[in-house]
Amino acid sequence: MKQLTWCLVLALALTANPLAANELASIKADLVTLLARVEALEAENRQLKSTAVKPESANHLKFKGDIRYRYESIDVQSKDPRERNRVRSRVALTTKLPNNIKLGIGLASGSSDPTSSNQTLGGGGSSKGINLDLAYFSWNSHPNVSITAGKYKNNFYSPEKNGLLWDGDYNPEGVAITYDNGQLFSNFALHWLDSDSKNGSPRAAVGLQAGYAMNLESARLTFGAGLYDVSVQGQGVFRGDADDFFGNSFTCVDATTLSGCTYTHDYEQVELFAHLKTQIGDLPFVAFVDYVNNRAADDLNAGWSTGFTIGKASNPGTWQIAYIYEDIEADAVFKALADSDFAGGVTDSKGHVLKGSLAINKNWKVGISYFDNVSNVDQGADKDYNRIQFDTALKF
């Protein structure tokens, strides 16, 4: 465009020369016509760009991820103290398709452990593993109903994301159905533990949960109940070593060598929960209580967790502190899917958790967590368990 403009200016200047006027008259007319045509084409191009229709999936494509660096120190009674540095890295891609369908794919660091994406640093700087963390499709068959299948985020509601029944990193595999109208909600799911019949009878955790959220002046109260059936009696472990029952009761063919070990009980877990969100002055305040009872065991079958959070680390310079107390008997929950940090990820334990975090900006947060726990409580052989974690986490 600029070159054509300068040519036109030059042509106009040359017309001032009487000797060249006749010869340049036609050139001038051609340049004016060409310039008008170029301007018309550019206007048409702008119009086409403004009205162009992109593929619907491209309009809804979202990419997000996070990275966390953690230093932690673990001190367990009768064991040598342990220190380690760990990273967690996750990325996820989602898109929306016609007919209210959503697809999601995610990758994460760590091992095959379903309750942790942490990767311990070491091995002389060796490359670290990346695993399939999410792979699902979700269909909104109704404005309030979604049906999800594959490997997806846990659809069961956990008050304040506590890990009494479900670890925060646990992404189940199976089918889930969720209903939520803003107040009344219900969740159903079939989570496969082993779906391949060559390993024996397929095993799954089946659950149904319902709750109600109501506004109380400046507060919001959510309460509900759930029933989860994990039929594992007489089955061996689904991951880890042959004796990794995470505190749940088990029976072995040979107790000396720990061979032929299987779960002693099924886990018919009945959960009751309540979750309150309100303000104390200018600060957000959250409190919760979560209770579970395993009807398939006659004793050592109850667990509960309660806590509160003050503040919210979200905007730059904001902070939050949290306190949790948990008491979980040996067979209260199927522990292979529950919190892997509290008391080292075993049942038959109780104790306190203190947490604090500060938002450097909207994408960067630093925090500290301290676990003051006791394990082997039901056995009458209390073992102190102390753990401290320093985190710095960034997301995009």
Side-chain angles (χ1 to χ4, degrees), residues 17-227:
N17 182 351
L19 297 177
N22 292 334
E23 298 177 5
L24 294 177
S26 61
I27 297 177
K28 173 184 174 182
D30 291 342
L31 288 173
V32 171
T33 302
L34 180 59
L35 180 59
R37 180 56 180 161
V38 170
E39 290 178 343
L41 289 173
E42 288 189 340
E44 184 179 349
N45 186 50
R46 289 193 295 268
Q47 178 66 20
L48 288 173
K49 286 183 178 180
S50 65
T51 59
V53 178
K54 296 180 180 179
E56 189 171 351
S57 59
N59 290 334
H60 299 287
L61 197 64
K62 294 184 178 180
F63 183 68
K64 64 179 182 179
D66 65 87
I67 296 175
R68 183 182 68 194
Y69 186 96
R70 168 176 289 176
Y71 163 82
E72 65 179 354
S73 173
I74 303 172
D75 189 1
V76 182
Q77 185 177 335
S78 74
K79 292 185 177 181
D80 293 334
R82 181 182 186 184
E83 297 180 48
R84 59 184 176 183
N85 290 267
R86 316 186 87 186
V87 294
R88 184 189 69 184
S89 179
R90 301 178 297 190
V91 293
L93 182 68
T94 60
T95 187
K96 293 183 179 179
L97 301 179
N99 301 319
N100 300 314
I101 296 176
K102 178 181 178 181
L103 301 182
I105 300 174
L107 301 175
S109 57
S111 63
S112 59
D113 184 349
T115 62
S116 177
S117 299
N118 290 312
Q119 175 65 60
T120 302
L121 302 183
S126 60
S127 298
K128 310 306 178 187
I130 296 294
N131 300 283
L132 185 65
D133 195 43
L134 297 167
Y136 66 91
F137 71 88
S138 182
W139 175 42
N140 281 97
S141 59
H142 181 275
N144 299 327
V145 178
S146 66
I147 302 172
T148 305
K151 186 173 180 62
Y152 47 84
K153 290 288 186 181
N154 194 355
N155 67 317
F156 289 126
Y157 179 86
S158 294
E160 203 54 13
K161 299 181 180 180
N162 87 95
L164 182 65
L165 276 79
W166 315 106
D167 188 277
D169 285 333
Y170 171 58
N171 291 334
E173 303 164 0
V175 179
I177 303 174
T178 295
Y179 172 84
D180 189 348
N181 66 7
Q183 289 186 310
L184 179 66
F185 65 90
S186 63
N187 301 304
F188 167 82
L190 182 149
H191 296 165
W192 289 113
L193 301 176
D194 195 337
S195 68
D196 195 337
S197 61
K198 78 173 185 178
N199 300 322
S201 299
R203 296 286 171 169
V206 181
L208 178 63
Q209 181 188 65
Y212 187 79
M214 58 189 300
N215 294 321
L216 302 171
E217 295 182 357
S218 60
R220 185 169 178 83
L221 174 64
T222 302
F223 57 92
L227 175 62

